[in-house]
Amino acid sequence: MTTTTAAQAPDKLTSKGQATRARILEQAAELIYTKGVHATNNEQLRRAAGVSGSQLNHYFPTKESLVLAVIAWQADRVLAFHRSERFARFDSLDALRAWADFYVGYERAYQEGCTLGSLASEIIKTDLDVHDELATAFDQWRDIFRDGIERMQQLGRISAEADPTQLASLLLAAFQGGMLLAQVARDITPLKDALQTAIDYLQTFATSPDAGVIAPGSGGGVHEAGERLDHEGVGCGHGQLLSR
């Protein structure tokens, strides 16, 4: 068996190697999501990904290297989705409402939850040295909202007295907490209420009644968004990867 101690860097791999590594990561993310970190073992992963033990060891020589890669993979999906033009860079209240409607309108959201949040709740109970990577992923997610709120201030849509970092943390906390409660209740209402309340609070800093309103027709409707999410496999780890 290969005796490497560091995971193989994706940019150093051949196209075939990158495809194999991606397949392992997809299956690892699914197993960790459904079974947890401790209950996921190499034998399960080898069978699910269709690779040998030497291949698995080549790409991910330790469990820590595998979990680090899963964190990065899940975070990239979430961040890329939120950085897309879908929500107009979150520089208006309507863009934030469209983001909330997107998840509230996704019929399986309360069943699947947020895979990055679920992964974090699993890992913080282990002794794996990956907490900094998790913290960085959530900081980057929060900063997407913070940057949007700062743009709202620059555009004169909300008061300069608003604290963008605090408000961004509120939005992310409302999403994570609301999603967890929705999973427990098996009802999307807690997520809907949490996001609406957080956005309503942000609206109290609006400089005028119509501040932060974007042009009609510039954002997708709830049902349309839910369908795209199911087919494209984007968002907070939802879609094709975690469909069961």
Side-chain angles (χ1 to χ4, degrees):
M1 182 175 289
T2 307
T3 57
T4 53
T5 57
Q8 191 80 9
D11 57 355
K12 302 294 184 181
L13 300 174
T14 64
S15 296
K16 183 177 180 180
Q18 290 177 358
T20 300
R21 184 181 186 274
R23 187 169 71 252
I24 293 171
L25 277 178
E26 287 189 18
Q27 295 302 323
E30 172 71 9
L31 286 169
I32 290 173
Y33 179 76
T34 56
K35 297 178 178 295
V37 175
H38 285 307
T40 298
N41 58 50
N42 285 356
E43 180 61 30
Q44 294 168 337
L45 184 51
R46 286 198 299 268
R47 289 199 304 265
V51 297
S52 65
S54 59
Q55 283 179 301
L56 180 58
N57 187 70
H58 175 66
Y59 296 108
F60 305 105
T62 65
K63 191 163 191 175
E64 186 170 293
S65 67
L66 175 64
V67 173
L68 280 170
V70 169
I71 292 171
W73 188 77
Q74 294 283 27
D76 284 347
R77 286 163 55 88
V78 173
L79 297 175
F81 175 65
H82 283 75
R83 285 170 178 156
S84 71
E85 292 301 315
R86 191 183 298 260
F87 302 120
R89 301 171 69 208
F90 293 103
D91 62 3
S92 71
L93 291 168
D94 273 3
L96 286 169
R97 293 189 186 99
W99 165 72
D101 287 347
F102 190 95
Y103 283 100
V104 170
Y106 180 47
E107 63 182 9
R108 294 204 306 273
Y110 74 85
Q111 297 171 323
E112 296 177 356
C114 175
T115 51
L116 187 58
S118 298
L119 181 62
S121 67
E122 278 290 332
I123 293 175
I124 59 175
K125 295 180 284 187
T126 73
D127 58 359
L128 295 174
D129 187 18
V130 295
H131 291 73
D132 288 348
E133 286 73 15
L134 271 175
T136 297
F138 281 101
D139 284 347
Q140 291 177 320
W141 192 354
R142 179 204 61 199
D143 289 349
I144 292 172
F145 294 126
R146 182 203 63 196
D147 292 347
I149 294 169
E150 287 179 346
R151 283 191 292 272
M152 288 190 216
Q153 288 179 318
Q154 294 164 4
L155 292 167
R157 292 172 175 168
I158 64 171
S159 168
E161 296 179 358
D163 184 330
T165 299
Q166 183 184 67
L167 291 169
S169 295
L170 173 63
L171 288 168
L172 185 54
F175 178 82
Q176 291 296 327
M179 188 68 83
L180 175 61
L181 292 175
Q183 283 185 281
V184 172
R186 299 191 65 78
D187 181 353
I188 204 65
T189 302
L191 176 63
K192 178 181 178 181
D193 290 346
L195 293 180
Q196 180 176 321
T197 301
I199 295 171
D200 284 350
Y201 178 67
L202 175 57
Q203 188 173 5
T204 65
F205 293 96
T207 54
S208 65
D210 59 349
V213 176
I214 56 180
S218 59
V222 167
H223 299 298
E224 178 187 359
E227 290 168 0
R228 282 202 304 268
L229 183 61
D230 185 42
H231 291 142
E232 295 175 6
V234 294
C236 190
H238 298 310
Q240 294 173 349
L241 169 65
L242 296 178
S243 295
R244 292 187 290 280

